[in-house]
């Protein structure tokens, strides 16, 4: 029995869980359930990150101790995971005594090995963001996160000699290229490692940050939250389950990739552990085209989604809608369309006609005997084998969308099979033997689909199997598994068709629209921004996205028409910043497009989809410094979200990318 260890990040206990948190956890749950179904010994870990000044401040406001506050708030995650049927094996909290003891033991070991040293640290400190910033990271001299003033602080701190591990990190990634996935994220990390790696400050003075794990060798200090947090993946299996290490998958969002690769791998090298086998960074969800944020009030509450559609439809949508790794947009309209098309129609049809009508009316409501198989039957069986293999490979590689696409090929083929075999005609002719074979084959497809869905839609899978009087999934792709004579029942429809967005959600959308400022008149276009024609937004009521289309190459150079003049304020609306391309790859569905990850000085790189493939190869772009319009509304380009535009000069093939030069740090404002 193979061991399989999968983790989610541990979530900040202060945050209210939203659809982004649900996404990571549903993905991890799906692969955990799948590996259990395949017979593996699975350890699925999730939990909460409970130290830090923000937790302390929130607790103080409520008149609670930070521990009491964390005890209460961490339950929000437990409650949501229960509603989403998350089957974690262990829930770790960084305030667990065992975890704290483990972290202290690691720190002591590093200290005794001479891997830590004390030194003065100086920098711009932001009290609101609780962190230091480099000079070139400040925005107008203020904290780029909170916009609050920063102060210059010099203080003694403890440092981990992370710089010593740069070569080893590079050698490890070269030897195990798939340890960081998808590929573009690996390139991002390699880009990061092109610069000399510094040492890592792993302490905070207690005077400034008291809610943390004390350094065992210097009680005036607590450890840096990320040193504490990353260690959870080991502390959770300490004391009996060490054999699960190295973890098979750390699943996380792209914003915390550097912590989970550069920092974490170095910490592991230093303490004598192997790095995890795979770190997989997924993309980010925007909401109706906008960044999800508490201040915008557009955070998608997973509880509301579960109330409105049920947990399994939510799980299905999250995994089916966007490729795991890319960014995606959450739109309620898109949810409705996906729900009705795939779940209510395709899946609903497959079972309903046979289970509710044909079997009870014509064959006594039991599993029929199968007779000889025709060519059409055998083709269907071949398809079943192919798609189930594809499902296995794809879920095991976290390619959930592809896995579900494959399974739905079988669902649709099953529906087509009923249409072409015309059981109603067989019944009319009195050909009961062939009728039995046809319906039996459909029931076997139902069983195969239901069994595979056990990892994505666990509750509906149970209901689907119960209709065949089965209590356990049976993954075998052959048409000979059901026992003739077993009663079948139609039961309730699995995913009733929805004619409109459920009322509770429609009310919220209406309220948000009322609260939103009136749409601004379209700004005139900035000179030659590069972005291809966007796909129309899925939501019909979303405003058209004002993205410029690259001009077609003129047949002969013509004198440019006099440009319409704009006011200073018009130009002022366009926010430009310098960016550095950290990775680039071809768009999976469009030859002209490249998908870039661009560092524009924010927490995580932005994904920008640009129509520059005719003039640039992805390899030639990595490391290039460019200029980006950073306040474009996100647009979907052939299924991938683009959050910004590049500036470039030229005609249709837009060869020359604008740059402010390599000396200017990414994120610098261009005026
Ligand atoms: N506490 C740290 C993780 C420490 S792990 C050793 C943390 N917590 S978090 O609560 O802020 O985020 C947890 C996860 O949620 C991250 O993987 C993050 O990428 C993900 N998401 C947060 N917002 C998201 C979206 N809008 N979309 C998709 N995932 C997002 O970071």
């Amino acid at each position: 029995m193979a061991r399989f260890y999968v983790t989610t990040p541990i979530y900040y206990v202060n945050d209210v869980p939203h659809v982004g948190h649900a996404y990571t956890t549903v993905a991890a749950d799906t692969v955990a359930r799948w590996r259990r179904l395949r017979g593996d010994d699975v350890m699925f870990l999730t939990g909460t990150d409970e130290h830090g000044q923000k937790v302390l401040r929130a607790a103080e406001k409520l008149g609670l101790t930070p521990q009491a506050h964390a005890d209460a708030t961490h339950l929000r995650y437990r409650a949501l995971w229960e509603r989403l049927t998350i089957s974690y094996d262990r829930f770790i909290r960084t305030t667990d005594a065992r975890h704290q003891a483990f972290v202290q033991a690691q720190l002591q070991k590093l200290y005794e090995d001479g891997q830590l040293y004390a030194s003065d640290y100086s920098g711009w400190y932001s009290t609101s963001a609780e962190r230091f910033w480099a000079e070139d990271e400040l925005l107008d001299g203020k904290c780029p996160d909170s916009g609050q003033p920063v102060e210059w602080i010099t203080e003694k701190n403890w440092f981990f000699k992370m710089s010593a591990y740069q070569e080893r990190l590079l050698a490890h990634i070269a030897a195990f290229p798939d340890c960081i996935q998808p590929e573009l994220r690996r390139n991002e990390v390699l880009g990061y490692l092109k610069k000399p790696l510094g040492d890592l400050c792993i302490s905070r003075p207690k005077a400034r940050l008291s809610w943390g794990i004390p350094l065992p060798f210097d009680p005036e200090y607590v450890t840096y939250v990320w040193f504490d947090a990353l260690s959870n993946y080991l502390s959770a299996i300490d004391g009996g389950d060490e054999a699960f290490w190295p973890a098979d998958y750390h699943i996380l969002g792209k914003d915390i990739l550097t912590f989970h690769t550069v920092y974490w791998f170095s910490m592991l090298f230093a303490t004598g552990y192997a790095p995890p086998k795979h770190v997989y960074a997924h993309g980010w969800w925007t909401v109706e085209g906008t960044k999800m944020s508490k201040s915008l009030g557009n955070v998608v509450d997973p509880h509301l989604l579960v109330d409105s559609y049920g947990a399994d439809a939510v799980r299905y949508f999250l995994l089916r809608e966007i490729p795991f790794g890319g960014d995606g947009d959450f739109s309620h309209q898109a949810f409705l369309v996906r729900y009705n098309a795939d779940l209510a129609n395709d899946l609903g049809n497959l079972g309903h006609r046979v289970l509710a009508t044909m079997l009870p009316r014509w064959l006594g409501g039991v599993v029929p005997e199968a007779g000889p198989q025709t060519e059409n039957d055998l083709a269907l069986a071949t398809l079943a084998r192919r798609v189930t293999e594809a499902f296995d490979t794809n879920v095991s590689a976290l390619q959930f969308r592809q896995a579900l696409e494959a399974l739905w090929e079988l669902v649709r083929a099953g529906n087509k099979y009923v249409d072409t075999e015309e059981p109603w005609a067989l019944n009319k002719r009195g050909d009961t033997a062939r009728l039995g074979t046809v319906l039996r084959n459909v029931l076997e497809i139902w069983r195969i689909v239901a069994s595979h869905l056990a990892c994505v839609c666990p509750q509906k899978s149970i209901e689907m199997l119960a209709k065949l009087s089965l209590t356990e999934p049976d993954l075998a792709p052959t048409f000979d598994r059901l026992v003739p004579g077993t009663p079948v029942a139609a039961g309730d429809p699995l995913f009733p068709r929805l004619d409109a967005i459920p009322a509770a959600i429609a009310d919220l959308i209406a309220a948000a629209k009322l609260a939103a400022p009136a749409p601004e008149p379209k700004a005139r276009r900035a000179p030659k921004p590069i972005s291809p024609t966007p796909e129309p937004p899925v939501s019909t009521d979303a405003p058209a996205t004002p993205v410029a289309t690259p001009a077609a190459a003129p047949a002969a150079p013509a004198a440019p028409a006099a440009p319409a003049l704009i006011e200073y304020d018009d130009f002022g609306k366009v926010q430009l910043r310098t960016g550095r391309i950290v990775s680039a790859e071809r768009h999976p569905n469009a030859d002209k497009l490249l998908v870039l990850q661009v560092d524009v000085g924010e927490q995580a790189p932005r994904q920008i989809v640009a129509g520059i493939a005719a003039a640039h190869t992805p390899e030639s772009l990595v490391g290039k410094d460019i200029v980006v319009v950073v306040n474009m509304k996100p647009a979907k380009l052939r299924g991938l979200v683009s959050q910004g535009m590049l500036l470039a000069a030229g005609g249709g093939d837009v060869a020359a990318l604008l740059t402010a030069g390599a000396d200017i740090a990414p994120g610098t404002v261009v005026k």
Side-chain angles (χ1 to χ4, degrees):
M1 192 159 53
R3 281 196 197 89
F4 184 79
Y5 182 22
V6 60
T7 68
T8 72
I10 47 173
Y11 300 100
Y12 286 128
V13 78
N14 252 11
D15 288 349
V16 177
H18 59 61
V19 81
H21 306 124
Y23 185 49
T24 322
T25 316
V26 164
D29 185 58
T30 300
V31 71
R33 284 178 181 271
W34 181 245
R35 300 302 290 243
R36 284 191 206 108
L37 272 174
R38 299 299 317 271
D40 289 348
D41 182 12
V42 171
M43 172 69 76
F44 169 20
L45 174 71
T46 189
T48 39
D49 196 351
E50 305 193 351
H51 288 123
Q53 204 65 0
K54 281 188 188 149
V55 177
L56 180 63
R57 273 199 220 140
E60 279 167 353
K61 264 195 199 158
L62 295 167
L64 294 171
T65 63
Q67 184 66 61
H69 179 57
D71 287 349
T73 48
H74 93 283
L75 294 175
R76 296 198 281 229
Y77 286 98
R78 285 203 194 256
L80 180 62
W81 302 155
E82 201 174 318
R83 292 211 71 198
L84 283 168
T85 58
I86 303 299
S87 63
Y88 57 82
D89 296 293
R90 212 152 278 179
F91 190 107
I92 190 160
R93 302 178 55 194
T94 51
T95 53
D96 290 342
R98 261 184 47 185
H99 169 78
Q100 304 205 50
F102 182 87
V103 172
Q104 288 196 317
Q106 296 296 305
L107 287 164
Q108 185 66 30
K109 193 158 129 194
L110 288 176
Y111 176 71
E112 284 167 15
D113 282 356
Q115 308 232 35
L116 303 181
Y117 64 93
S119 175
D120 271 349
Y121 185 90
S122 300
W124 291 108
Y125 187 75
S126 158
T127 322
S128 47
E130 294 170 26
R131 58 164 289 185
F132 284 98
W133 296 100
E135 177 91 38
D136 60 8
E137 288 176 314
L138 300 179
L139 269 188
D140 296 331
K142 294 194 172 141
C143 168
D145 263 10
S146 63
Q148 297 294 314
V150 288
E151 50 183 324
W152 185 257
I153 289 187
T154 300
E155 64 187 18
K156 175 195 139 184
N157 262 309
W158 286 92
F159 290 80
F160 161 50
K161 293 182 183 165
M162 189 164 75
S163 56
Y165 294 98
Q166 181 152 11
E167 291 310 315
R168 195 158 161 200
L169 275 165
L170 286 165
H172 182 85
I173 299 170
F176 303 97
D178 69 351
C179 69
I180 304 171
Q181 296 177 358
E183 195 187 336
L184 83 147
R185 302 292 169 211
R186 178 174 79 238
N187 293 337
E188 226 176 277
V189 175
L190 288 173
Y192 185 92
L193 287 172
K194 278 195 178 131
K195 289 175 276 177
L197 195 58
D199 289 341
L200 182 67
C201 177
I202 54 103
S203 67
R204 297 292 182 267
K206 252 193 189 160
R208 194 150 53 68
L209 199 155
S210 57
W211 182 233
I213 301 179
L215 296 188
F217 47 85
D218 191 343
E220 291 309 305
Y221 288 82
V222 298
T223 194
Y224 170 46
V225 276
W226 274 98
F227 192 95
D228 169 359
L230 287 163
S231 306
N232 92 87
Y233 301 129
L234 276 175
S235 72
I237 52 166
D238 187 47
D241 288 313
E242 291 85 350
F244 279 101
W245 196 259
D248 290 270
Y249 276 109
H250 287 328
I251 303 182
L252 39 117
K254 64 178 184 177
D255 53 319
I256 52 177
L257 177 65
T258 312
F259 297 109
H260 278 84
T261 50
V262 179
Y263 293 19
W264 182 222
F265 285 22
S266 305
M267 284 165 61
L268 290 166
F269 289 143
T271 43
Y273 289 93
K277 288 184 209 156
H278 310 290
V279 169
Y280 198 112
H282 63 68
W284 265 45
W285 286 93
T286 49
V287 177
E288 311 278 356
T290 316
K291 197 175 163 192
M292 194 170 10
S293 95
K294 252 192 255 175
S295 52
L296 288 177
N298 66 346
V299 173
V300 178
D301 173 8
H303 284 285
L304 181 62
L305 293 179
V306 174
D307 291 343
S308 308
Y309 301 103
D312 284 349
V314 176
R315 293 172 61 113
Y316 179 84
F317 177 82
L318 292 178
L319 298 180
R320 171 64 184 81
E321 197 62 9
I322 58 167
F324 201 63
D327 294 333
D329 184 48
F330 187 96
S331 125
H332 290 287
Q333 190 64 34
F335 195 113
L336 190 71
V337 168
R338 173 71 61 200
Y339 174 97
N340 277 334
D342 291 11
L343 300 176
N345 287 359
D346 289 343
L347 189 62
N349 262 348
L350 179 66
H352 193 74
R353 287 189 288 181
V354 173
L355 291 164
T357 318
M358 301 180 191
L359 274 169
R361 285 208 197 139
W362 305 333
L363 294 175
V366 296
V367 174
E369 290 278 359
Q373 302 277 313
T374 65
E375 234 170 73
N376 201 20
D377 302 351
L378 292 175
L380 195 61
T382 307
L383 179 75
R385 197 163 319 113
R386 183 168 64 72
V387 303
T388 52
E389 279 166 13
F391 187 92
D392 182 22
T393 317
N394 281 308
V395 174
S396 299
L398 312 190
Q399 302 305 297
F400 306 107
R401 175 191 171 112
Q402 291 85 331
L404 289 167
E405 265 169 1
L407 198 61
W408 253 249
E409 220 184 304
L410 185 61
V411 172
R412 292 193 195 104
N415 282 329
K416 200 162 157 223
Y417 176 78
V418 175
D419 292 343
T420 49
E421 292 296 330
E422 300 184 323
W424 44 92
L426 295 172
N427 178 53
K428 214 169 187 180
R429 281 208 298 277
D431 189 349
T432 319
R434 180 65 193 152
L435 176 66
T437 307
V438 168
L439 297 191
R440 168 68 183 274
N441 289 346
V442 178
L443 291 186
E444 296 279 5
I445 294 179
W446 183 257
R447 170 191 58 76
I448 295 166
V449 172
S451 302
H452 283 76
L453 275 182
C455 61
V456 179
C457 303
Q459 289 164 310
K460 293 296 174 185
S461 164
I462 292 173
E463 282 177 43
M464 287 173 77
L465 292 170
K467 292 177 194 289
L468 307 180
S469 307
L470 293 176
T471 51
E472 293 289 332
D474 173 355
L475 298 168
T478 50
F479 288 177
D480 57 359
R481 306 291 293 181
L482 297 172
V483 179
T486 311
V488 298
D492 294 332
L494 289 169
F495 296 100
R497 211 190 138 73
L498 294 170
D499 293 324
I501 289 176
I505 291 179
D507 289 351
L508 261 189
I509 297 175
K513 279 202 182 125
L514 284 178
E520 292 183 9
K522 271 190 194 173
R524 285 189 201 284
R525 283 167 184 171
K528 267 283 175 260
I530 299 315
S531 189
T533 317
E535 270 178 14
V538 190
S539 164
T540 46
D541 52 13
T545 320
V547 177
T549 311
L565 298 179
I566 60 169
E567 298 293 334
Y568 182 79
D569 285 352
D570 289 333
F571 181 66
K573 286 182 190 145
V574 181
Q575 287 181 20
L576 300 171
R577 261 196 252 160
T578 54
R580 183 162 300 153
I581 301 177
V582 288
S583 69
E585 59 174 12
R586 296 194 183 281
H587 192 296
N589 312 319
D591 294 345
K592 291 188 179 151
L593 302 183
L594 294 183
V595 184
L596 312 174
Q597 302 297 324
V598 184
D599 175 3
V600 289
E602 296 169 336
Q603 210 183 9
R606 285 201 191 193
Q607 177 166 294
I608 296 180
V609 183
I612 54 172
H616 300 273
T617 60
E619 307 75 53
S620 68
L621 290 173
V622 176
K624 277 241 157 73
D625 291 287
I626 53 170
V627 178
V628 177
V629 182
V630 289
N631 62 335
M632 283 306 300
K633 277 202 177 139
K636 231 186 198 180
L637 301 161
R638 296 296 191 89
L640 292 181
V641 170
S642 182
Q643 292 184 296
M645 284 200 301
L646 315 184
L647 298 191
D653 57 357
V654 290
L657 303 182
L658 258 62
T659 176
D663 298 341
I664 311 284
T668 307
V669 172
V670 179
K671 288 194 213 165

